[in-house]
Amino acid sequence: MTRAGAVAGPTARTALGRAARAEWGPLLRALRDGLRDRKAAAVALTLTAVCLTGLFQYVQNQPWGFGPVRHLGAVQADQPWWSALLRTPLSLYVPALDLPVWGALAQLLLAFGIAEICVGPLRTLLVAYAATLAGTLYARLGIAVGPGGLLGLPGHEAHTTDTGPSAAVVGLAVYVCWRYRAWFTCAVVAAAMVVEAFVKPNLAGKEHVAAVVAVLALCVAGEVRQRMRRQGPGGPAGPRGPGGPGGSGRSDVPEPESRPEHASRPVPESGSVPEPEPGPGSDPVRGSEPVRGSRPDPESGPVDSENPPSQSWSRRRHAFQRLS
């Protein structure tokens, strides 16, 4: 082996390891933390779904149980709308008769388990039902289009029993990959469903494509809603104060009222003599009477003889005479 080949081998492995960590690292950390914190409670919904699927498989293989299971969970495109919608939730847990049951159980255990740990049981259930419902609705649309169209189905597919968790499993795989930014895996799953629909253009294959499209639409709508929530109703994201791009230019703190200078002094009543303002030598405790030893204010001016002075003004004048 040449020196260049020896160096290229570890470099390629290092790049591949970095790509794998970037693709699945956040997802694996979420799985590890969820199992460590909640133990078996993290997959309670998954275990319930697996047990319910196993129960339906046992009951429908009994002579007395095939009819009740068909009435509760078997969906066909030629059924009335209300009947198909009522049967859709349970149809997710009824295994298909032409497929091995262990395949359905493995799909549920893997896809439901990863989704429940990473995004929670409620969101897992909602996405699974949305994908299953998208497949059910597509069956009617495809039969209405007919076999000549791109999305069409032949008329005999209306009598095909549509059960099993495959559409829900595909939808959950796409949703989890989108949430944890595993873009390459998400693209591989979507491309695989498209190839399956071209190779095997039956109801099941095209239903998987419908489930992928429905879940991708939900993901895009969620991203747009989160971006609008971060930006807020006032515009782009930013500080909501004065000067910020999302603010209105005004502060929420009220500014103090500006008073004119003349409004701070009380207006004297008509016929009354206002009290003189204390000068620089006055005592703040005794009012306008000057402190002993202080000099009078020369700017006070002479006393008006026409108006009788008040008592405080008289005391001030006597104190001024004693000082002089």
Side-chain angles (χ1 to χ4, degrees), residues 60-160:
Q60 74 177 354
N61 286 325
Q62 304 301 318
W64 48 268
F66 181 79
V69 170
R70 293 294 99 182
H71 284 88
L72 289 175
V75 177
Q76 294 178 346
D78 58 351
Q79 294 172 347
W81 277 98
W82 62 267
S83 178
L85 292 178
L86 288 177
R87 297 181 184 191
T88 296
L90 282 180
S91 69
L92 194 153
Y93 308 106
V94 177
L97 293 175
D98 56 342
L99 296 175
V101 67
W102 61 264
L105 296 178
Q107 289 177 1
L108 283 173
L109 191 61
L110 186 63
F112 269 66
I114 293 175
E116 184 180 4
I117 295 171
C118 294
V119 300
L122 180 59
R123 195 166 294 180
T124 298
L125 204 59
L126 290 177
V127 173
Y129 280 146
T132 305
L133 185 60
T136 302
L137 297 179
Y138 163 74
R140 297 171 179 271
L141 176 64
I143 293 172
V145 171
L150 178 63
L151 302 177
L153 290 171
H156 65 83
E157 294 286 359
H159 310 291
T160 302

Side-chain angles (χ1 to χ4, degrees), residues 54-310:
L55 177 63
F56 275 124
Q57 171 66 14
Y58 172 77
V59 171
Q60 74 177 354
N61 286 325
Q62 304 301 318
W64 48 268
F66 181 79
V69 170
R70 293 294 99 182
H71 284 88
L72 289 175
V75 177
Q76 294 178 346
D78 58 351
Q79 294 172 347
W81 277 98
W82 62 267
S83 178
L85 292 178
L86 288 177
R87 297 181 184 191
T88 296
L90 282 180
S91 69
L92 194 153
Y93 308 106
V94 177
L97 293 175
D98 56 342
L99 296 175
V101 67
W102 61 264
L105 296 178
Q107 289 177 1
L108 283 173
L109 191 61
L110 186 63
F112 269 66
I114 293 175
E116 184 180 4
I117 295 171
C118 294
V119 300
L122 180 59
R123 195 166 294 180
T124 298
L125 204 59
L126 290 177
V127 173
Y129 280 146
T132 305
L133 185 60
T136 302
L137 297 179
Y138 163 74
R140 297 171 179 271
L141 176 64
I143 293 172
V145 171
L150 178 63
L151 302 177
L153 290 171
H156 65 83
E157 294 286 359
H159 310 291
T160 302
T161 302
D162 181 21
T163 58
S166 58
V169 167
V170 172
L172 286 174
V174 171
Y175 183 79
V176 172
C177 291
W178 183 286
R179 282 294 302 272
Y180 284 87
R181 301 304 188 251
W183 303 120
F184 181 76
T185 308
C186 182
V188 167
V189 172
M193 296 304 104
V194 173
V195 171
E196 179 194 10
F198 276 102
V199 173
K200 196 177 180 181
N202 57 1
L203 175 61
K206 294 189 176 181
E207 271 189 347
H208 295 166
V209 177
V212 169
V213 172
V215 173
L216 286 178
L218 289 177
C219 293
V220 172
E223 293 284 343
V224 172
R225 185 184 62 181
Q226 288 182 2
R227 186 171 300 178
M228 293 177 61
R229 186 180 300 173
R230 284 195 300 266
Q231 291 179 353
R240 304 290 296 172
S248 59
R250 296 181 300 175
S251 175
D252 295 336
V253 181
E255 297 181 358
E257 297 182 1
S258 58
R259 270 189 178 179
E261 186 178 355
H262 61 81
S264 60
R265 300 181 181 179
V267 180
E269 298 179 2
S270 59
S272 64
V273 179
E275 291 285 338
E277 295 184 2
S282 61
D283 188 1
V285 179
R286 297 175 61 185
S288 61
E289 184 177 354
V291 183
R292 184 177 297 276
S294 62
R295 299 178 62 104
D297 187 7
E299 298 180 2
S300 59
V303 179
D304 189 5
S305 60
E306 296 180 1
N307 296 327
S310 62

